[in-house]
Amino acid sequence: MLRVAVESAAGLPKNKLGSPDPIASVVFKDEKKKTKPVSSELNPVWNETLEFDLKGVPLDSSSYIDVIVKDYETLGKDKLIGSAKVSLKDLASSQVKSLPVKNLALVDENGKSIGVGAGGEEGDVTDGGGRGAVTSPGEPGHKIRSRTRKRHSLANKPQDFQIRVRVIEGRQLPGNNIKPVVKVHVCGETHRTRIRKGNNPYFDEIFFFNVNMLPSELFDEVVSFRVYNSNSFRADCLMGEFKLDIGYIYHEPAHCIMKKWILLNDPDDSSSGAKGYLKVSMFVLGTGDEPPEQDNDKDDVESNLLLPAGVALRWVTLKLKVFRAEDVPQSITVIPYAYVFQIQTADKINTICIYSGVKKCWPPSWFLNFFAYLSHLKDSDHQTNNYYYLPWADTKPVIAITSFWEDISHRLDSLNTILYISNRLQTNLSALKSAVQSKATDARLVEIWLKLINQLMEDISRIPDMEGKPNLTALDIQQKMLRDRALENIMKGAKHLFEEATDVNKCLSIIEGWLDKLKQLAEEPQNSMPDVIIWMLRGEKRVAYTRIPAHQVLYSSYSEQACGQYCGKTKTIFMKYPMDNKKGLKIPVQLRVNMWLGLATEEKKFNHYAEGIFNVFAELYENQAQVLGKWGTTGLLSRSKFSDVTSKVKLKQEYFLPPVGWEWEGDWRVDPEKTLLTEADAGHTEFVDEVYENETRLPGGEWKLAAEPYTDVNGEKVQGPTEIECPPGWKWEDIWTFDDNRAVDEKGWEYGVTIPPDDKPKSWVAAEKMYHVHRRKRMIRPRKRIPGAKTAEARDAEGWEYSSLIGLKFHRKQRSSDTFRRRRWRRKMTPADRVGASAIFKLEGALVSMTEISETSFFVPECPLSLLFLPESNTYHLRVYVYQARNLTALDKDSFSDPYVHVSFLHHSQTTETIRSTLNPTWDQTLIFKNVEICGDPQSLAQNPPIVVMEIFDSDQVGKDEMLGRSTCVPIVKLTSGMDASPKLLWEPVTHKNGPAGEILVAAELILKTRGNDTELPLIPPKRGEKLYMVPQGVRPVVQLTAIEVLAWGLRNVKTYQLAPVTSPSLVVECGGESVQTAVIKNMKKCPNFAGNVLLLKVLLPKEEMYTPPIVLKVIDHRPFGRKPVVGQCTINFLEEFRCDPYATVAEVAMSSKASPRDLHVNIDDGRQHLLEAQLYHEDETIYFVTTLQEKETVDWWSKFYASVGESERCRPYLDKGYDTLEVYDHELESAKEFMGLTDFCSTFKLQRGKNESDDDDPAVVGEFKGSFKVYPLPDDPGVPPPPQQFRELPDSVSQECVVRIYVVQAIDLQPKDNNGKCDPYIKISLGKKSIDDRDNYVPYTLNPVFGRMFELTCFLPQDKDLKIAIYDFDLLSHDEKVGETVIDLENRLLSRFGSYCGLAQTYCISGPNHWRDQLNPSKILEQLARWKGLSPPRSEDNGNTLTFGGRLYCLSDLGNFQSFLFFCTSLWWLDKLYCGIYCKLGKDLQPVLIHESSYFICWFQGKVELTLEIVNEKEADEKPAGKGRDEPNMNPKLDPPKRPDTSFFWFTNPFKTCRFIVWRRFKWLFIGLVVLILVLLFIG
């Protein structure tokens, strides 16, 4: 706030009528405030205070106020007595807090002093803080101390002073890669520091300034600190500045400022904030003064800071609420210990200590019970596509956890409800889109549509209310209001669509908008509930993890919709590797888990979700070792007789006590492990037994059987092939043979060398050498499980498990190498006073007796083992239908892959066949899983079935197969044979490294088998080959014979392949297993178009569009020695846009078609009324209008442009005449719907090539294919004639020379490139090898330049089809930067039938701003239009006064309207049809004049020649013959002699022009470089 106290004035002059009535006014920054008038007084006293609001903007050194004294008049205007200006510089510099002003002289309106004075006081009392002000630390609200000091009286004579300035360090200087330097300026002398690097440089340099001045003058001088970036040569090299009065330093204690931080700011903008800090010390020493000791070394910037003028500190309060700590390491004792961390804000660092212990939490808390059981766990080995799993079968491990958290149920209930609405809407929307895409019946669409709208309106009404909920915050209330408004709008929109919608397709975008809005609302910023994290451990190492948001498994008593999406449901989870750099390329574990999370007060609700019988056991293991052939405890050494599963913790049966609420059921008994000790063939229907036959020899000797002739792959002794019997329930498939599908010789041997102390080789090779002493051969024999037969389980009668060493894997059968064995003891518990499955929540913390356990034990089980027993086991039959895939990733160098699919379901898996060299494979294969045993209730399984996982691999002959992606599919579950619902093939997304990698068309069905009855299963699908089943009828798409016409126009911009150019390419088009190939392009440089343009492909395609396979384009280069590499490929996924009715449409004709029917002659009378005030002429073919010369002087092209864009004030004469206007588009023509993207003749398809290993979404483009397609059905009856060909009357596919004109009018909203927020744009144009640089005509300091430039180029199409127009920013010294670029495909504009290469005027004129620009006359264009539309040619009647076209009769006025073809931007002509013309330069515009259309025209070529051109017919030529060579040529017409000046200065100017246009333009940069080099040499010398 600026306060101005207006006190009084004295000696005001009298006016003619007596004493004035003075009134004072104060003006500050266009704001005026007045005092009250004083009646009839020459010495008025006001004593009023006027206040001005600074609005947060501090005063600067240029601030001032105007004081005006006037004679107050009741009626009329006040009369000026005098005025004065008061500078506020001292007030702005914070030298004073108030500025008394006395005896202020007033001046009249003529600037003459009136000899009177006024008095007052100005003060800035609120927005304190000025340059050099020192802030005091403490609470917000402490005022900044004024730096004014009472000055000691010094002799008013020149004295010697020394000013010392020490620059210590800088901090937080802005910029990147800066090299700061500090310049200190005092009393006209400047010193600078050394150049440092970084944003926090350390200088520590002292400068001395010795002066001899009057003290009063010295104290008014300032010390200036300026920090520059030495790397920059531009105007922004100044990084910040600070100024301080020397008087302020002198009047500080000891005449110094010690180690203060000064804040740097922008001198031109004091409100821009801090630009960094400098730490400095300053001394002002007079004669006899001693410098102080430097003992102050404060590093606290905030409390030790000097501020520049106009900058004030703003206090900010940071609040941190600590609620709870997680994953705190547990100490041995329960004494809390402290974690210390720091919070840094600006330069203020506060330290916070959090005291934590073993079980410490902060209230309020939420007592939660968490339950989970593992249904299935599967590990994968992707190198061999084998999967390993834990066969828990009907016994599942259970985990129960109790935790304490804040009660945020009101937030999570709303979150889960919105997620439920969103997921349900997503499901219904996908079904609606699928029905639309498959062209379902209207009744089916209406049914899905009504279901979607009704369910949406029903779900929105179920949002929970927060009224009366605990722990509500202001954000909760605001978010509730936001959600209510959004849901209310969705409800209104749903009701509106339900009542008035008529077209389902038009509503899809609206529903998608609703879905996006719901997903935005499903964000909870105050979700303090941590995620559920599941780790997989191997020993003590964490190898995989997954995290599930807690709200997804949370139970809510509010409603079923408020429960989590997976609460109490079995879910399939893919775990991840910790610190996975491959972004999920490999999945370590697939986990199937059931989770439930709820309040402890609602734990009994868990009984509703529980399935099966919960068994709780206390368990320990009895250990024995073998010594001298006898088993006992002697050889256990440090191991205990009874221990835990790790054999490290000593346990006894009497140590165990039942948990609270539980009691023992029965006594301890031996319970062997039934699931984790399975043999190698467990879970397989086919298995291969293997035995290695071993032989040894001396080097160079003969081979003989080794001491252990038969071993396994690890060299352990096993039975020989003749001793191995087929296990019960299996049968042999073949005899014993050696395996030659490995790196072995022809007899199956592999060789190695034994290196002591090992007795067996570590590596093997296939080639035999003299030094080899060991060889082995792998003998294999396949066997197959007999369906329905039971296998005998070999089990020790006493329940022992054996191992060769403690800590190794255990097995059931005892081996000769076993030295350790164990068996498991268990004791079962049952709930005592609790009923139901919720009793498991009381198990946590149920420890064994602590008094009996040794203090050296480091592991104590906190919870008894809980298991879930699912007594009901069922057998299912699974069929997976894998039909095709599209848009897979190319992983081979030939731009393709060799894909196959590995399908897994629980612990079963199968593989499809491999399709070679394709990215869109069609497998058409059914995978049958005959007997899949799943435990649990079938009804629960039907609601949450296990998913089918499909992993797509690229088969490689060398090296391991690479993954192309992964997808999942939910099978349809059929529990009864009466369910007739057949699976429907759907496109499922394929993901690779968390990104999209194509789609796969699959379906699956899971059928419950009745025991002993296989007749109820569906029929076996038809076979392809011996083992492959095809997709059966009813599931596979219904196909129809379809014709695909291919317009193969040409190839463009094809890049080199293997360092060689593509010279002789051809195109292969594939679709649905059929292919067709074009002819070879003989010379790509001369003409890159195909000779035979139209190809026909007959293929069986599905009737439903969603199943249609893509069209694959392959470009093959024909190279010497028969090489035909694929140099590019393209996949066209959707064919719907190319479908057509072959009988309802006609062939598309390009604009450049040379087929011309008979000429049309229109004769018009000369006496017809003239249009547009123009003169009317008639010729044999068309009508012409010639505007007068006076019209050209009043209107021009810019008038036409301004009239077209609506700037009527700049084109009034043009509008008054009613001339035609342009149609100006606010986007490119390719985006205009009415122009079909200018692809009506042919489209452009990007060609790709090579192995796509990068993570970029856009693969490399190596070329373009120009062409189009027409897809239409063919009759099933071969006797019916086929439909007519669609591509007819095509233009010649030869290269054409064309003229291109580019009219660059203006640019809009360019990106700034200069520091002033502007740029200096100019134009660069390139076409083929030609380019135009218009750098000399740049437009300075603008983002919306008006160029008004026209450029003309010649080119050959289609070679030079890409016209590039770029805008660059002009820079005098540095390199010019590109602002932006656009590329125009000239070939599309030339071939398009929309006339987009020139544009048609609305009226046919031959001159002026509306002159005709198209190369064809209106009559020719009308004839072409008749051919495009399939109409009869236009016919003239009534002596040319009327015209019949398309069944309608037109008069003359109708012939000038061509609005539907209007476009004006780029002119383009084919030179072989270009009319003869002369380009005349009129001012700055070049205008084409078609000579044969004009009868008489005069133009001037500036400074060169003046001539007259006249075109006459044969009759006029005979009447007015031109002069021949022997006669006077100056006749008919006769020209006057040219008027030339008597003197000429060409002899003086021509040499300079020669230097400028010939020498300077070519060698200007050489001259500039030489001059710069000479200057540098002179500077160095």
Side-chain angles (χ1 to χ4, degrees), residues 493-518:
K495 292 180 178 178
H496 177 75
L497 290 184
F498 182 79
E499 295 172 357
E500 300 184 7
T502 57
D503 190 353
V504 175
N505 294 322
K506 295 181 180 179
C507 301
L508 291 178
S509 60
I510 300 177
I511 301 175
E512 289 175 348
W514 295 345
L515 184 60
D516 294 338
K517 187 62 177 179
L518 288 172

Side-chain angles (χ1 to χ4, degrees), residues 102-130:
K102 295 183 179 181
N103 300 325
L104 181 63
L106 301 177
V107 296
D108 59 10
E109 55 188 1
N110 297 323
K112 296 181 180 181
S113 175
I114 60 176
V116 299
E121 183 176 356
E122 292 80 21
D124 184 3
V125 298
T126 303
D127 293 341

Side-chain angles (χ1 to χ4, degrees), residues 621-721:
Y621 284 83
E622 180 184 0
N623 305 308
Q624 289 186 0
Q626 188 180 36
V627 179
L628 300 178
K630 295 183 179 181
W631 293 98
T633 59
T634 306
L636 293 177
L637 301 178
S638 60
R639 305 291 177 177
S640 301
K641 178 179 179 181
F642 290 94
S643 67
D644 67 337
V645 68
T646 64
S647 302
K648 296 179 181 180
V649 179
K650 180 180 178 181
L651 296 175
K652 290 185 178 181
Q653 295 180 0
E654 54 268 23
Y655 287 174
F656 288 87
L657 299 177
V660 178
W662 292 77
E663 60 184 16
W664 297 117
E665 182 184 277
D667 202 355
W668 290 92
R669 62 184 179 88
V670 176
D671 186 7
E673 180 62 62
K674 301 178 182 179
T675 57
L676 300 181
L677 304 177
T678 54
E679 300 299 330
D681 58 0
H684 292 269
T685 57
E686 297 179 355
F687 190 76
V688 177
D689 286 313
E690 65 175 12
V691 174
Y692 284 85
E693 181 182 351
N694 298 271
E695 292 185 354
T696 59
R697 70 174 181 181
L698 295 175
E702 295 183 359
W703 294 103
K704 61 181 180 179
L705 287 176
E708 295 180 354
Y710 298 103
T711 63
D712 60 7
V713 67
N714 298 318
E716 299 292 336
K717 183 178 179 181
V718 296
Q719 295 177 327

Side-chain angles (χ1 to χ4, degrees), residues 26-37:
V26 179
V27 180
F28 174 70
K29 292 186 177 178
D30 298 330
E31 185 178 359
K32 186 176 182 180
K33 294 192 177 183
K34 299 179 180 181
T35 66
K36 295 180 180 179

Side-chain angles (χ1 to χ4, degrees), residues 1013-1024:
N1013 186 6
D1014 292 342
T1015 59
E1016 298 179 357
L1017 296 177
L1019 297 177
I1020 298 296
K1023 282 188 175 183
R1024 183 176 65 247

Side-chain angles (χ1 to χ4, degrees), residues 1049-1053 1084-1090 1264 1266 1292-1298 1327 1355-1362 1385-1388 1390-1391 1470:
W1049 190 247
L1051 301 176
R1052 309 288 183 262
N1053 302 328
M1084 278 286 290
K1085 292 184 178 181
K1086 186 176 181 181
C1087 182
N1089 288 341
F1090 293 102
E1264 299 172 352
K1266 287 278 189 179
D1292 294 338
S1293 59
V1294 296
S1295 180
Q1296 293 284 344
E1297 186 178 5
C1298 302
L1327 181 61
C1355 68
F1356 285 89
L1357 293 183
Q1359 294 94 321
D1360 307 328
K1361 73 177 185 66
D1362 291 330
D1385 192 327
L1386 297 180
E1387 185 179 15
N1388 282 356
L1390 183 66
L1391 297 175
W1470 282 10

Side-chain angles (χ1 to χ4, degrees), residues 1276-1396:
D1276 297 331
D1277 187 1
V1280 176
Q1285 182 177 333
Q1286 300 301 297
F1287 293 110
R1288 295 177 298 174
E1289 278 194 69
L1290 301 177
D1292 294 338
S1293 59
V1294 296
S1295 180
Q1296 293 284 344
E1297 186 178 5
C1298 302
V1299 174
V1300 182
R1301 278 188 177 179
I1302 305 100
Y1303 298 84
V1304 184
V1305 182
Q1306 63 182 13
I1308 302 173
D1309 295 337
L1310 299 179
Q1311 291 294 323
K1313 293 295 181 180
D1314 295 338
N1315 295 329
N1316 56 7
K1318 304 290 184 179
C1319 65
D1320 309 319
Y1322 66 90
I1323 304 167
K1324 273 189 178 181
I1325 296 177
S1326 61
L1327 181 61
K1329 296 182 179 180
K1330 299 179 180 180
S1331 63
I1332 296 177
D1333 188 342
D1334 199 33
R1335 191 172 188 268
D1336 295 338
N1337 297 309
Y1338 73 92
V1339 183
Y1341 307 116
T1342 181
L1343 299 179
N1344 299 279
V1346 176
F1347 293 106
R1349 305 283 297 169
M1350 189 277 290
F1351 306 94
E1352 181 176 313
L1353 292 169
T1354 59
C1355 68
F1356 285 89
L1357 293 183
Q1359 294 94 321
D1360 307 328
K1361 73 177 185 66
D1362 291 330
L1363 173 65
K1364 297 181 180 180
I1365 304 175
I1367 302 295
Y1368 280 79
D1369 173 43
F1370 175 88
D1371 286 325
L1372 184 61
L1373 297 178
S1374 61
H1375 181 69
D1376 294 350
E1377 297 179 86
K1378 180 187 287 187
V1379 180
E1381 183 184 64
T1382 184
V1383 180
I1384 299 175
D1385 192 327
L1386 297 180
E1387 185 179 15
N1388 282 356
R1389 301 204 171 200
L1390 183 66
L1391 297 175
S1392 174
R1393 71 171 183 268
F1394 293 106
S1396 54

Side-chain angles (χ1 to χ4, degrees), residues 1392-1442:
S1392 174
R1393 71 171 183 268
F1394 293 106
S1396 54
Y1397 52 88
C1398 181
L1400 301 183
Q1402 295 174 346
T1403 307
Y1404 188 75
C1405 300
I1406 64 171
S1407 64
N1410 295 319
H1411 67 80
W1412 189 258
R1413 295 177 180 273
D1414 196 85
Q1415 83 180 73
L1416 297 179
N1417 292 334
S1419 59
K1420 300 290 185 180
I1421 296 177
L1422 198 61
E1423 294 172 14
Q1424 285 194 350
L1425 181 63
R1427 295 205 308 277
W1428 297 336
K1429 299 296 184 180
L1431 304 175
S1432 58
R1435 186 176 68 258
S1436 173
E1437 298 177 355
D1438 192 15
N1439 196 22
N1441 295 329
T1442 59

